Amino acid sequence: MSNESSHRTDTREKIIEAAASLIPELGWGGVSSRRVAERAGVNTGVIHYHVGSIGELRRIAAVRKIRAFFLDRIGEALAQTDPAAAVETLLRALSANDPRDPELLLLYESLVAASRDDRLRAEIAASLAELRQQLSDWFAERGVARPLTVAVTLTAAIDGYLLQRSLDPTLEPGPLIDGLVGLVGRQLT
């Protein structure tokens, strides 16, 4: 990779990271080219050169961060050999974040924005479908009788738990872990 190409990539990454950091701070609509340029230390014209529109920039930043948020945590869980232990590991990893953590705030802002942006909705949906498929495949490899059922239930429960925890930060994951571990245990063949 040439120096110029490397510099372009670095600048693009700085812009995307700046947008991702601003979404939880300012809300989806508060992220403007001017604010991203200030945070990234670039001229506003550079933003449009690298990503096109501010809407496209918000989508790229959000989808990338949401994907990383879930894939990082699923990676820890799937390092387990026991499906029940994996479910507990995943839910505890998700509970480790403060409900006002920037990663979670970005997730909430993005989900609301996705209700009005078909492309964002499709990109987030594709990432979540990939997550469900990874979970389903992993559960199937470990003898879970209905792996897709367990994967869909788990991901839906995670969504609900994260939302409820954003409203009630005192909500502990224990009861959810118990219920989902029980579900997985009943599905082992």
Side-chain angles (χ1 to χ4, degrees), residues 7-158:
H7 178 68
R8 266 195 306 252
T9 301
D10 292 346
T11 300
R12 187 174 197 275
E13 291 305 312
K14 277 180 22 182
I15 291 167
I16 292 168
E17 284 300 315
S21 71
L22 287 168
I23 292 170
E25 287 178 29
L26 305 174
W28 192 265
V31 177
S32 66
S33 296
R34 181 184 57 77
R35 289 188 170 176
V36 172
E38 288 170 0
R39 176 70 53 96
V42 299
N43 180 300
T44 55
V46 172
I47 291 170
H48 301 290
Y49 171 77
H50 284 283
V51 290
S53 70
I54 192 65
E56 179 66 15
L57 174 57
R58 287 188 294 236
R59 274 192 296 277
I60 291 168
V63 170
R64 180 183 289 182
K65 288 296 186 178
I66 290 169
R67 203 172 149 67
F69 176 78
F70 285 114
L71 291 179
D72 288 351
R73 283 148 187 89
I74 195 174
E76 294 172 34
L78 300 187
Q80 305 293 316
T81 55
D82 174 42
V87 168
E88 182 169 355
T89 299
L90 179 58
L91 288 166
R92 292 214 183 275
L94 290 167
S95 301
N97 289 62
D98 181 290
R100 305 299 299 167
D101 181 272
E103 285 183 305
L104 291 172
L105 293 174
L106 180 135
L107 174 65
Y108 307 145
E109 286 288 332
S110 301
L111 293 176
V112 170
S115 69
R116 292 180 207 85
D117 181 331
D118 290 338
R119 188 164 169 206
L120 177 62
R121 180 175 38 253
E123 290 179 23
I124 292 173
S127 291
L128 293 175
E130 181 184 342
L131 171 69
R132 285 189 303 271
Q133 189 60 55
Q134 276 188 286
L135 286 168
S136 180
D137 292 348
W138 188 88
F139 284 129
E141 291 168 5
R142 277 146 190 85
V144 173
R146 294 174 28 200
L148 183 59
T149 299
V150 173
V152 169
T153 302
L154 179 59
T155 55
I158 288 168

Side-chain angles (χ1 to χ4, degrees), residues 99 108 156-171:
Y108 307 145
I158 288 168
D159 289 344
Y161 172 72
L162 291 175
L163 176 61
Q164 288 185 38
R165 195 157 170 265
S166 74
L167 301 170
D168 178 6
T170 65
L171 182 63

